[in-house]
C-alpha cells in the first residue's frame, strides 16, 4: 500500500507503486491532461516517475511556480532537435533554462544568422505540433559514449566521464532525437505551446573556459502562453527606449570611452543629477545618526591580508607599487578602512551603536566583457556604511535601517520591495558556530522588522549572512540594490574591540549596509525608471526660461537670475528661434518646466509655465512662480 499526501493534506491510497500521472488521473481526467510534472517529497519529477513508498505530492500544471522553468527546459531540447534537423553537422553541448527563457550551446563551423534563427523557430513549431513524447532512459555509460562518439558528438561523449559514478546516466528522447539530461520534462513537446521566440546568437566557450573551444549560443525566451510572451516582448521594447546608455547620450549626462574602460565621464547635467542624489542621501544619513568619514584609496596589502580580502578578491584588485617596494591595492571596498577608524582611541559600550558612513570610491578589475554602461563599471562609489554595535543591538539597528531604506526607496519612486535572506556560502571565513550565531541573529532581526523574506541559499557574503533588497521598476524588472550583512568575523580578524559595562574588552558586531549600492548603477536604474523624465527636485536642469521675441530677452535673463538665486537649476534660451521650436527641443531634452516669456509677460511681470508632457500653460506672476517652483523643487528630505 502506498499513501500519497496532497497539498491540502488529503490522502489517497494505492495498492502498489503509482506514477504521478496515475495519481492525477485518479483525481480527475482534466488534471491528468493538464499535468506537466509532479513534485514528490519536494523534488520535481516526470509524471511517469514511479512512487513506491509513502510520499507527499504536488501536481504541476501551467499555473504552478515550477512550470515555467520546466517548459523552458523543454523548449531548449526542442530547439536543439530543430537545429540538428536543419543542420545535421552541428554538435550540441549544454542547454539549460534561464530566468526568462533558455539557451543551447552549439559547435558549428558556420556562424548562425538571423535567417537561420527564423528557420530554427519555424522548425520548433513543427516539432511541437508533432507532439513528440519525452521519454527518460537509463543508459550504460560505455554505450552512451559509443553512441555519441559514433554520431560525431565529441562534447557529449566527453561529458559522460564527468557524470558522478553513483548517479544514473539518463538520456531523454523525443521522437528520434535524444540528449544527455537529468530531466525532468513535460510529457510531450506539444505541452510547450506557442509562447516562445528565439532572440539572439552570441559566443560561448566549452564549459565556460576561454581556453576551450569556442561555441555558438542561441538564446530564446519562453512563457506560459502567447499573451505572456507578447507582454515580455513589449517590456523589452520599452526597456530599449529607456536604456540608460541611450538616454545618457541623448540628454548629455555622461559618456564612456575605451581609454578609461569601466569609468564614467560625467557631463555637467549628469553630475548635477549625481549631486542631487548624493545630497539627498547625505541628508538622510545625517538625520539617521550616521557620521561621515573618508578612507584612503591605496592601502597596503598587509591590511587586505589580515582582513581576508587578499585571498578572496586579489584577482579583482588593482595593484600598485611604491618606491619603498610596498605593494598597495586600490580599495575594492571600504570595510577594513572603517574598522581602522573604529580602532582609534578607546570605544565604550556607551558609544554604541556607532554608525559610520562613507561615499566610498571603489575600484574592481571587472572583465572587459562584463562592463555594461553604468550598470557594471570598474570605478564606482558606494553609499557604504558600517554599524558597530553589541549583539543586543542587532535587532533594533536592523529595524531602524529597514525603515530608512524603505523611506529612501519610496522617495525615489520605488514602492515594491522584495527581501531575500542569503545564508552561508560554500567559501567563507569563520567557524560554523559563528555563522550559526549570525544567521540566527539576522533572521530574528528581520522578523522583528516585520519584513517578509524568501530564502536565498548559499548566497551570503564572505563574512556573514545578509539581506538583499530587490526593487521592481516601472516596467516590471527586478533590481537587487540594498544589503544588510551581519559580521562577527572581520572585527575579530582586525582586532576591533570596545570596553563593556563589565570593564572588559568585547568584540563589536559589524553590520555592513548599503541602500543604493553603487551610485553609478543606481543612477542607471533611476534613468530607466523615469525614462529620463525626473521629478523636479532631481532633474539636472529644472527650468528653462525661453523668450518668445528678442525684446523679451532682458526680462528672460531677470527671471533666470531670480530662479537661480532661489536655488533652482535654470538656463535661459535667448536664441532667435520660434518659440514652438524651443518648446519642442526642451521637451525632447526632458526639461520639467519651460517658463515662456514675451513682451506681455515682461510688461506685466509674469511667466507662462509649461510642464513636461502637458499641453496647457499656467500664467502667473514671477513671485508666484518663484514660490511655487522653489517649494516643488525641494527634495523629499527637505519637505
Amino acid at each position: 500500500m502506498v499513501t500519497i499526501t496532497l497539498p491540502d493534506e488529503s490522502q489517497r491510497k494505492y495498492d502498489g507503486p503509482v506514477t504521478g500521472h496515475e495519481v492525477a488521473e485518479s483525481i480527475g481526467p482534466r488534471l491528468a491532461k493538464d499535468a506537466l510534472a509532479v513534485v514528490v517529497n519536494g523534488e520535481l519529477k516526470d509524471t511517469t516517475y514511479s512512487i513506491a513508498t509513502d510520499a507527499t505530492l504536488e501536481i504541476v500544471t501551467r499555473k504552478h511556480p515550477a512550470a515555467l522553468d520546466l517548459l523552458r527546459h523543454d523548449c531548449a531540447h526542442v530547439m536543439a532537435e530543430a537545429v540538428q534537423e536543419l543542420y545535421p553537422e552541428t554538435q550540441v553541448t549544454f542547454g539549460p533554462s534561464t530566468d526568462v527563457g533558455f539557451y543551447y550551446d552549439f559547435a558549428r563551423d558556420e556562424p548562425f544568422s538571423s535567417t537561420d534563427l527564423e528557420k530554427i523557430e519555424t522548425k520548433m513549431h513543427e516539432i511541437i505540433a508533432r507532439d513528440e513524447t519525452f521519454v527518460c532512459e537509463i543508459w550504460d555509460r560505455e554505450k552512451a559514449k559509443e553512441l555519441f562518439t559514433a554520431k560525431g558528438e565529441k562534447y557529449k561523449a566527453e561529458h559522460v566521464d564527468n557524470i558522478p559514478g553513483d548517479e544514473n546516466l539518463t538520456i531523454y528522447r523525443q521522437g528520434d532525437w535524444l540528449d544527455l539530461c537529468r530531466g525532468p520534462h513535460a510529457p510531450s513537446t506539444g505541452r510547450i505551446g506557442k509562447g516562445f521566440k528565439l532572440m539572439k546568437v552570441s559566443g560561448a566557450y566549452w564549459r565556460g573556459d576561454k581556453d576551450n573551444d569556442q561555441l555558438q549560443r542561441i538564446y530564446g525566451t519562453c512563457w506560459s502562453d502567447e499573451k505572456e510572451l507578447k507582454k515580455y516582448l513589449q517590456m523589452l521594447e520599452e526597456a530599449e527606449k529607456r536604456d540608460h546608455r541611450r538616454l545618457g547620450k541623448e540628454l548629455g549626462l555622461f559618456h564612456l570611452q575605451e581609454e578609461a574602460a569601466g569609468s564614467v565621464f560625467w557631463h555637467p547635467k549628469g553630475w548635477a543629477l549625481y549631486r542631487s542624489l548624493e545630497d539627498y542621501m547625505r541628508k538622510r544619513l545625517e538625520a539617521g545618526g550616521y557620521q561621515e568619514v573618508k578612507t584612503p584609496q591605496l592601502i597596503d596589502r598587509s591590511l587586505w591580508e589580515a582582513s581576508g580580502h587578499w585571498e578572496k578578491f586579489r584577482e579583482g584588485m588593482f595593484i600598485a607599487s611604491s618606491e619603498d617596494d610596498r605593494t598597495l591595492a586600490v580599495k575594492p571596498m571600504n570595510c577594513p578602512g572603517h574598522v581602522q577608524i573604529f580602532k582609534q582611541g578607546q570605544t565604550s559600550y556607551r558609544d554604541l551603536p556607532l554608525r559610520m558612513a562613507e561615499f566610498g570610491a571603489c575600484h574592481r578589475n571587472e572583465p572587459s566583457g562584463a562592463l555594461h554602461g553604468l550598470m557594471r563599471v570598474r570605478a564606482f562609489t558606494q553609499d557604504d556604511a558600517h554599524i558597530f554595535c553589541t549583539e543586543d543591538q542587532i535587532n533594533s539597528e536592523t529595524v531602524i535601517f529597514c525603515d530608512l531604506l524603505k523611506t529612501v526607496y519610496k522617495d525615489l519612486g520605488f514602492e515594491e520591495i522584495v527581501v531575500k535572506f542569503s545564508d552561508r556560502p560554500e567559501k567563507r571565513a569563520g567557524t560554523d558556530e559563528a555563522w550559526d550565531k549570525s544567521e540566527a541573529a539576522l533572521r530574528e532581526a528581520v522578523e522583528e522588522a516585520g519584513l517578509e523574506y524568501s530564502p536565498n541559499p548559499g548566497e551570503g557574503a564572505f563574512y556573514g549572512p545578509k539581506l538583499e533588497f530587490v526593487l521592481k521598476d516601472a516596467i516590471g524588472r527586478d533590481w537587487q540594490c540594498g544589503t544588510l550583512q551581519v559580521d562577527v568575523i572581520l572585527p575579530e580578524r582586525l582586532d576591533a574591540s570596545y570596553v563593556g559595562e563589565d570593564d572588559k574588552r568585547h568584540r563589536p558586531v559589524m553590520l555592513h549596509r548599503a541602500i543604493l549600492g553603487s551610485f553609478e548603477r543606481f543612477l542607471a536604474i533611476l534613468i530607466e525608471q523615469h525614462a529620463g523624465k525626473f521629478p523636479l527636485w532631481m532633474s539636472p536642469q529644472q527650468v528653462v526660461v525661453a523668450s518668445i521675441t528678442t525684446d523679451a530677452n532682458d526680462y528672460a535673463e531677470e527671471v533666470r537670475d531670480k530662479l537661480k538665486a532661489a536655488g533652482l537649476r535654470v538656463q535661459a534660451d535667448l536664441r532667435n528661434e520660434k518659440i514652438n521650436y524651443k518648446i519642442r527641443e526642451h521637451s525632447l531634452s526632458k526639461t520639467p518646466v519651460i517658463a515662456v516669456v514675451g513682451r506681455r509677460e515682461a510688461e506685466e511681470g509674469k511667466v507662462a509655465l509649461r510642464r513636461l508632457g502637458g499641453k496647457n500653460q499656467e500664467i502667473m506672476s514671477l513671485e508666484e512662480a518663484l514660490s511655487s517652483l522653489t517649494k516643488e523643487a525641494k527634495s523629499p528630505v527637505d519637505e
Side-chain angles (χ1 to χ4, degrees):
M1 183 73 69
V2 173
T3 301
I4 300 296
T5 303
L6 299 171
D8 63 359
E9 301 300 329
S10 64
Q11 293 185 334
R12 288 178 174 264
K13 298 184 181 296
Y14 301 87
D15 292 335
V18 62
T19 66
H21 175 76
E22 289 169 341
V23 174
E25 204 168 39
S26 70
I27 296 172
R30 179 59 186 267
L31 183 61
K33 182 180 178 182
D34 292 343
L36 299 174
V38 289
V39 179
V40 181
N41 293 331
E43 291 187 32
L44 194 65
K45 301 288 185 181
D46 300 321
T47 57
T48 55
Y49 178 76
S50 181
I51 307 165
T53 59
D54 294 351
T56 61
L57 182 136
E58 295 176 57
I59 308 295
V60 176
T61 63
R62 293 185 99 79
K63 294 181 179 180
H64 192 281
L68 204 48
D69 191 61
L70 185 81
L71 293 172
R72 288 167 176 169
H73 188 188
D74 294 349
C75 222
H77 276 239
V78 168
M79 179 175 70
E81 180 182 2
V83 166
Q84 291 198 312
E85 280 192 24
L86 291 167
Y87 313 103
E89 77 286 357
T90 304
Q91 294 186 63
V92 299
T93 60
F94 295 128
S97 60
T98 68
D99 288 343
V100 296
F102 58 92
Y103 69 80
Y104 233 108
D105 290 343
F106 299 97
R108 182 174 182 245
D109 293 334
E110 188 177 341
F112 287 110
S113 66
S114 56
T115 303
D116 291 329
L117 292 192
E118 292 173 9
K119 291 179 181 177
I120 295 165
E121 195 173 302
T122 300
K123 179 61 71 173
M124 288 174 70
H125 281 288
E126 291 178 17
I127 295 168
I128 289 169
R130 295 201 295 254
D131 198 21
E132 297 174 339
T133 301
F134 283 105
V135 179
C136 178
E137 302 172 350
I138 297 176
W139 278 53
D140 175 78
R141 290 166 186 271
E142 290 306 315
K143 286 186 178 179
K145 285 182 69 172
E146 288 173 11
L147 169 77
F148 288 116
T149 301
K151 286 163 61 75
E153 296 270 13
K154 70 171 186 177
Y155 299 98
K156 289 294 180 183
E158 178 185 325
H159 183 61
V160 168
D161 291 328
N162 293 307
I163 297 173
D166 59 350
E167 185 179 311
N168 284 332
L169 188 149
T170 53
I171 284 178
Y172 274 80
R173 184 188 298 274
Q174 59 210 57
D176 295 328
W177 189 85
L178 51 79
D179 192 13
L180 282 171
C181 182
R182 287 189 174 91
H185 284 279
S188 66
T189 60
R191 300 298 187 93
I192 294 171
K194 298 180 179 180
F196 69 91
K197 182 176 178 58
L198 299 188
M199 304 298 289
K200 64 177 182 178
V201 181
S202 70
Y205 294 101
W206 170 235
R207 298 193 182 282
D209 188 334
K210 62 182 176 59
D211 294 327
N212 288 340
D213 295 345
Q214 187 155 12
L215 307 171
Q216 295 183 69
R217 178 171 293 178
I218 299 180
Y219 286 95
T221 188
C222 175
W223 300 87
S224 58
D225 54 37
E226 289 177 280
K227 182 180 178 181
E228 289 298 310
L229 172 64
K230 184 180 179 181
K231 182 179 174 182
Y232 174 71
L233 295 177
Q234 286 174 340
M235 185 275 286
L236 288 184
E237 187 178 338
E238 181 63 26
E240 188 175 350
K241 294 177 187 175
R242 293 168 178 256
D243 191 305
H244 74 279
R245 295 166 298 178
R246 175 172 166 263
L247 287 171
K249 184 175 182 180
E250 289 178 2
L251 303 181
L253 302 178
F254 65 88
H255 83 274
L256 300 129
Q257 63 187 62
E258 195 57 40
E259 290 82 353
S263 298
V264 185
F265 291 83
W266 290 103
H267 297 194
K269 286 184 179 179
W271 192 241
L273 175 66
Y274 187 107
R275 285 291 304 276
S276 68
L277 182 62
E278 184 182 57
D279 290 346
Y280 164 81
M281 286 302 302
R282 179 168 281 115
K283 289 175 181 176
R284 280 285 179 215
L285 293 177
E286 287 175 354
Y290 286 83
Q291 302 176 52
E292 189 173 339
V293 299
K294 194 71 175 174
T295 55
Q297 291 298 112
L298 285 170
I299 298 177
D300 191 278
R301 66 175 285 179
S302 60
L303 181 59
W304 301 113
E305 288 174 335
S307 70
H309 290 97
W310 188 264
E311 179 184 356
K312 174 80 174 174
F313 293 108
R314 166 64 185 84
E315 290 183 0
M317 292 182 179
F318 288 102
I319 306 301
S321 299
S322 64
E323 290 185 358
D324 55 0
D325 293 328
R326 300 183 74 176
T327 300
L328 307 169
V330 184
K331 67 174 178 181
M333 66 276 297
N334 305 296
C335 332
H338 288 191
V339 177
Q340 304 315 300
I341 294 176
F342 178 85
K343 287 172 62 178
Q344 300 306 301
Q346 182 169 282
T347 303
S348 163
Y349 71 94
R350 295 186 183 90
D351 302 317
L352 304 181
L354 193 159
R355 305 181 187 113
M356 191 182 298
E358 178 176 9
F359 297 130
C362 299
H363 292 74
R364 295 180 186 175
N365 194 9
E366 301 281 1
S368 58
L371 300 178
H372 177 73
L374 302 181
M375 295 287 188
R376 191 78 175 268
V377 290
R378 288 174 174 160
F380 58 96
T381 300
Q382 290 180 315
D383 70 318
D384 205 4
H386 295 91
I387 302 168
F388 297 89
C389 64
T390 67
E391 290 181 15
D392 292 341
Q393 293 169 334
I394 293 175
N395 283 15
S396 58
E397 286 302 304
T398 297
V399 172
I400 292 169
F401 170 70
C402 290
D403 287 343
L404 172 63
L405 175 137
K406 288 186 287 186
T407 298
V408 170
Y409 287 165
K410 186 175 181 180
D411 285 348
L412 297 177
F414 300 96
E415 298 284 350
E416 284 191 65
I417 306 172
V418 174
V419 184
K420 295 182 180 180
F421 188 102
S422 301
D423 60 16
R424 67 195 74 187
E426 186 175 338
K427 292 184 178 180
R428 58 186 181 270
T431 64
D432 286 343
E433 183 182 1
W435 275 87
D436 290 342
K437 194 173 184 180
S438 297
E439 287 174 356
L442 185 58
R443 188 171 284 109
E444 182 181 334
V446 70
E447 289 171 357
E448 186 166 319
L451 294 175
E452 293 184 7
Y453 63 89
S454 59
N456 195 20
E459 295 300 317
F462 183 47
Y463 287 117
K466 65 179 178 179
L467 301 180
E468 296 182 355
F469 299 88
V470 181
L471 307 178
K472 189 174 289 292
D473 72 8
I475 58 174
R477 296 172 301 178
D478 291 338
W479 302 100
Q480 192 272 307
C481 295
T483 58
L484 175 68
Q485 174 195 337
V486 175
D487 179 5
V488 298
I489 297 166
L490 192 59
E492 176 77 33
R493 295 189 72 145
L494 297 182
D495 194 27
S497 64
Y498 68 91
V499 177
E501 197 171 359
D502 57 1
D503 289 331
K504 295 180 180 178
R505 293 200 168 273
H506 301 268
R507 298 294 182 199
V509 176
M510 191 173 178
L511 303 181
H512 304 245
R513 49 110 296 184
I515 297 175
L516 307 183
S518 153
F519 264 85
E520 286 73 11
R521 180 171 176 269
F522 201 88
L523 281 165
I525 295 168
L526 277 177
I527 292 168
E528 298 192 4
Q529 162 80 355
H530 295 287
K533 301 175 185 177
F534 302 105
L536 188 62
W537 71 270
M538 193 187 300
S539 182
Q541 180 169 279
Q542 295 169 321
V543 184
V544 167
V545 183
S547 58
I548 298 174
T549 57
T550 55
D551 55 4
N553 282 357
D554 289 345
Y555 180 61
E557 290 181 319
E558 179 188 341
V559 173
R560 176 200 62 195
D561 292 344
K562 288 188 174 181
L563 290 172
K564 186 176 287 187
L568 292 159
R569 294 185 286 275
V570 58
Q571 291 184 348
D573 185 348
L574 310 178
R575 295 174 298 167
N576 189 20
E577 298 283 357
K578 291 182 178 180
I579 190 61
N580 286 340
Y581 175 85
K582 293 182 180 181
I583 291 171
R584 183 168 60 252
E585 189 175 76
H586 293 302
S587 296
L588 289 173
S589 69
K590 319 290 189 194
T591 302
V593 179
I594 303 172
V596 178
V597 296
R599 184 184 304 162
R600 179 182 297 177
E601 285 78 17
E603 291 172 352
E604 298 177 359
K606 294 183 176 181
V607 294
L609 299 185
R610 301 179 66 101
R611 304 283 177 165
L612 181 61
K615 295 181 180 179
N616 300 321
Q617 61 183 19
E618 187 179 2
I619 310 293
M620 62 177 69
S621 70
L622 177 54
E623 289 71 22
E624 288 175 322
L626 274 169
S627 175
S628 174
L629 292 174
T630 303
K631 183 178 180 181
E632 189 180 340
K634 286 183 177 180
S635 77
V637 75
D638 292 323
E639 292 177 352

